[in-house]
Amino acid sequence: MMPLHAAIASKLYLLDDLPKGFDCPLTPEQEARLARFNEAHDYTPPAATVEPITLPGRHGEIPARVYTAPEGTPATGRCFVWVHGGGWVFGDLDMAEADWAAREIVARSGATVVSVDYRKAVVGTAYPVPLDDVADALTWVRDHRHEIGAGLADGPLSVGGASAGANLVAGAVLRLRDEAGWAPAHVVLVYPAVHAVLPAPSPHLTALMADVPRAARLLTDFARVFENYLGGPLSTADGYAAPALADLTAFPPTTVLNAEYDDLRPSGEAFTAALATAGTDVTQVCVRGTLHGFLTRPGTEEPTDLALDVMAHHLH
């Protein structure tokens, strides 16, 4: 056990009494406190060349951005498709988990990063639409990566995502395995939510999370959030919506990064074990001293810095 990083622990009080959930509006005072908790002083994400693009999908255009190293920096030819989280409801290409993470991975690995957005589970939209967007985007990048990033992204293709984005990535990889007989070179799943019903936390994790404010926790809200994504009860989930339910045979090499202080940690740990049992070459890392969503924090903060290095290492 490692205490929460000082930069997080010192501001945890700002989350006291904040509600949690996609349908829980905040008062202006609460929004101001949340902004103070999330603000990143003295951090500037790495420079990158950024090109907005739109990818074709069965439900219409899919927004994306191509991140490459600044001119004069050697490129590796590797390509990494990245999908942000947000409970299948929030998030876009501007959020830190999308933009900062993409810039950091470019700087640390030399890969071309394609950050992909998707339709959210709001206003009557539900599974499988967000998954369709990610699968369609990944298919397009697989077939056209020589056309992006000045034609330099023609090497091995890997894919990764965070939280709900990790769920969508795992589901898309399974679908492309089944429908096209294809798999990416590597998969990176960061604090993934891949179960319809979360595995029970260990007594150690239960004790660890006892003093974490509700606004930084997911356990009591997860079933409701996942049902919103499904557009129906948890019992309707299949192996593409909840990849932990799938046959994981021939799943590609995978890196799983879990936050130490995270109600979703049992999902990542159980999925790692299931992948290993299925014969996948899988690496699991517990990122100590941090909460779910650590990729929304500055890349200079020690836990996030170490996690980004692990991600970049597995893209080399």
Side-chain angles (χ1 to χ4, degrees), residues 193-227:
V194 289
H195 288 75
V197 177
L198 291 177
S202 67
H204 171 74
L205 182 60
T206 299
L208 205 62
M209 298 298 291
D211 295 327
V212 175
R214 172 178 165 78
R217 299 198 59 179
L218 301 163
L219 187 62
T220 57
D221 300 287
F222 181 77
R224 187 164 55 95
V225 171
F226 198 78
E227 283 184 335

Side-chain angles (χ1 to χ4, degrees), residues 10-286:
S10 65
K11 297 197 296 183
L12 212 55
Y13 73 94
L14 293 168
L15 301 182
D16 287 344
D17 302 324
L18 261 62
K20 177 72 175 181
F22 58 88
D23 55 357
C24 297
L26 300 179
T27 67
E29 185 273 336
Q30 290 172 332
E31 288 182 350
R33 278 197 281 141
L34 183 60
R36 286 174 60 197
F37 178 78
N38 289 325
E39 64 189 0
H41 294 296
D42 303 320
Y43 170 70
T44 301
T49 299
V50 184
E51 176 190 0
I53 61 173
T54 54
L55 308 180
R58 70 195 78 183
H59 302 293
E61 293 183 338
I62 303 166
R65 289 180 188 166
V66 179
Y67 290 76
T68 52
E71 187 175 350
T73 305
T76 65
R78 293 182 176 272
C79 186
F80 184 51
V81 174
W82 176 248
V83 183
H84 67 78
W88 300 277
V89 173
F90 300 113
D92 55 34
L93 297 177
D94 288 323
M95 70 185 293
E97 197 173 71
D99 183 67
W100 289 3
R103 292 173 180 272
E104 290 281 4
I105 292 299
V106 168
R108 294 167 191 246
S109 72
T112 294
V113 176
V114 183
S115 181
V116 172
D117 206 357
Y118 49 90
R119 287 163 180 79
K120 307 304 184 296
V122 296
V123 197
T125 298
Y127 173 78
V129 173
L131 174 62
D132 291 341
D133 279 351
V134 173
D136 291 346
L138 181 56
T139 299
W140 188 92
V141 175
R142 178 196 68 187
D143 297 337
H144 298 272
R145 63 185 181 275
H146 60 281
E147 300 173 15
I148 61 178
L152 298 177
D154 56 356
L157 172 61
S158 298
V159 60
S163 197
N167 168 287
L168 296 172
V169 161
V173 169
L174 288 164
R175 181 187 281 179
L176 291 177
R177 177 201 64 181
D178 295 343
E179 295 181 357
W182 176 84
H186 200 90
V187 178
V188 179
L189 305 176
V190 185
Y191 34 85
V194 289
H195 288 75
V197 177
L198 291 177
S202 67
H204 171 74
L205 182 60
T206 299
L208 205 62
M209 298 298 291
D211 295 327
V212 175
R214 172 178 165 78
R217 299 198 59 179
L218 301 163
L219 187 62
T220 57
D221 300 287
F222 181 77
R224 187 164 55 95
V225 171
F226 198 78
E227 283 184 335
N228 177 73
Y229 167 54
L230 288 173
L234 299 178
S235 59
T236 64
D238 60 20
Y240 299 131
L245 298 174
D247 175 3
L248 299 177
T249 303
F251 200 88
T254 300
T255 302
V256 180
L257 294 94
N258 300 308
E260 183 178 16
Y261 291 78
D262 187 358
D263 291 310
L264 292 191
R265 183 172 148 194
S267 183
E269 292 174 340
F271 195 62
T272 298
L275 287 173
T277 299
T280 294
D281 180 359
V282 59
T283 299
Q284 178 175 243
V285 176
C286 182

